[in-house]
Amino acid sequence: MATMDQCIKALEGILGDLAKNPAAAGLDRSLSCRLTDLDQVVLGRLNSGAVRDLHAVPDGPSVPRADIRLTMTSDDVVSLTTGKLHFGQAWMSGRVKLEAGLRDVLRLRKLL
């Protein structure tokens, strides 16, 4: 099981690369990544070509609902950054869950 620090660093890398992609220009969305094995949710914002304000909160009913929501284990988020796990394959197999509005999913599909 990866640590919360490893997960936040991994998410900064994954989401930062996504935010810098020209196809992400103009996106301003709240983000969350639920880490099922750590019982934590990492919250942040995709805005102006960067990911901002990533921070972890305990999982629970009081966690705000983000525009773009990911769910995975801590090891999977780290594996995505090391190249051991490909996002598309993980998504198709159910290891990574992505929830967002249809417009965001279509836009994210171009980025991933």
Side-chain angles (χ1 to χ4, degrees):
M1 183 179 341
T3 67
M4 183 53 62
D5 288 338
Q6 290 171 313
C7 291
I8 289 178
K9 184 176 180 180
L11 284 168
E12 286 172 343
I14 295 167
L15 298 172
D17 289 345
L18 183 128
K20 291 175 189 169
N21 189 311
L27 274 179
D28 182 13
R29 301 286 187 269
S30 58
L31 304 165
S32 71
C33 182
R34 179 167 275 111
L35 301 167
T36 56
D37 55 339
L38 297 178
D39 293 324
Q40 296 279 312
V41 178
V42 178
L43 301 172
R45 184 148 206 96
L46 177 65
N47 178 289
S48 301
V51 176
R52 304 180 191 292
D53 305 322
L54 284 183
H55 63 283
V57 298
D59 196 2
S62 63
V63 175
R65 183 178 164 105
D67 298 321
I68 300 170
R69 300 169 302 282
L70 296 165
T71 302
M72 66 187 86
T73 66
S74 61
D75 287 338
D76 284 346
V77 74
V78 172
S79 292
L80 286 169
T81 61
T82 63
K84 293 180 182 178
L85 183 63
H86 182 268
F87 186 87
Q89 293 170 338
W91 186 25
M92 295 298 286
S93 69
R95 286 177 67 177
V96 173
K97 292 184 176 88
L98 169 66
E99 299 173 81
L102 181 59
R103 182 180 293 157
D104 288 333
V105 169
L106 292 174
R107 197 164 196 187
L108 288 170
R109 205 173 122 220
K110 293 177 187 176
L111 298 172
L112 302 170

